Amino acid sequence: GTKSASIQFNDDAPNSPQTIPLSGKGAVQWVTNGGFNRYPTTTARIPSYWLASGFAAGDGKNTAYKQEGTASVRIGNKSAVTKTLKQTRTVASGAAGNTLQLTVWVKGQNIPTTPGLARVLVQLYNGNTLVQSKAIAFTGGTYDFTRRSITFTASRAYNQVVVTVTYSKRSGAVWVDGLSLLRAP
């Protein structure tokens, strides 16, 4: 919920002590290990709590390029193979009207503008029924880590959240880090 506090400190200014008011609202994180810092073994390429499909030897854990923590996840292609990194979470309190914020850091290398997907997708389900989908598309080209974010409101009640990173471009690569899905209480 909403919390308030203040920081007070002394200095040599005439109106000392100084007071800085603080306030904020807590949120629930629905992506586990979205910083891609935990792996089941030291040699594993797929982060804990995530399932990968279509990954090749050069995909997965990458410690050379990262925005936060110890690693990012690299997904690249030399042909139009669909590669996904997916996490499914059951939630007990997904209600219509919830405000959600999907955030991801992405780095691109020679991502073509030709057909294919380069995105992170969040899907809300109620049982087996898809309630809502929202995506952040990764732009084409070459660029350093950029923070992308969308905020949306759940249209109906939901009890399952699926987050999927997909790369099916014919060439190029993306590095993904700091993937987060927050629900404001």
Side-chain angles (χ1 to χ4, degrees):
T2 302
K3 302 291 181 188
S4 297
S6 64
I7 297 174
Q8 188 175 58
F9 60 93
N10 296 318
D11 60 13
D12 59 3
N15 58 345
S16 184
Q18 307 299 323
T19 301
I20 302 170
L22 305 170
S23 65
K25 191 172 186 178
V28 178
Q29 173 61 268
W30 277 343
V31 174
T32 302
N33 193 22
F36 309 116
N37 295 317
R38 292 188 304 273
Y39 291 79
T41 66
T42 56
T43 58
R45 307 276 310 149
I46 307 306
S48 299
Y49 309 106
W50 292 88
L51 296 174
S53 175
F55 273 40
D59 298 320
K61 183 179 184 179
N62 184 282
T63 57
Y65 300 114
K66 54 189 180 274
Q67 180 59 33
E68 58 182 44
T70 59
S72 65
V73 170
R74 178 197 182 274
I75 309 172
N77 255 339
K78 294 182 181 174
S79 62
V81 174
T82 298
K83 299 180 178 190
T84 61
L85 187 65
K86 185 177 191 176
Q87 184 177 116
T88 302
R89 296 275 313 267
T90 300
V91 297
S93 57
N98 285 158
T99 300
L100 296 107
Q101 183 178 43
L102 177 65
T103 304
V104 63
W105 285 93
V106 62
K107 171 183 170 63
Q109 181 180 30
N110 299 322
I111 300 172
T113 57
T114 55
L117 296 174
R119 72 177 185 192
V120 59
L121 173 71
V122 62
Q123 296 172 298
L124 306 179
Y125 286 87
N126 192 346
N128 292 326
T129 303
L130 178 62
V131 172
Q132 193 169 4
S133 295
K134 291 292 180 180
I136 296 175
F138 306 149
T139 56
T142 298
Y143 46 90
D144 203 356
F145 275 105
T146 305
R147 183 178 182 265
R148 309 280 170 87
S149 183
I150 59 168
T151 301
F152 62 98
T153 302
S155 58
R156 295 192 342 216
Y158 55 98
N159 59 14
Q160 190 176 59
V161 176
V162 179
V163 177
T164 308
V165 179
T166 303
Y167 194 79
S168 65
K169 296 287 189 174
R170 190 168 290 288
S171 60
V174 294
W175 287 259
V176 179
D177 202 357
L179 200 157
S180 169
L181 179 64
L182 296 176
R183 179 188 63 92

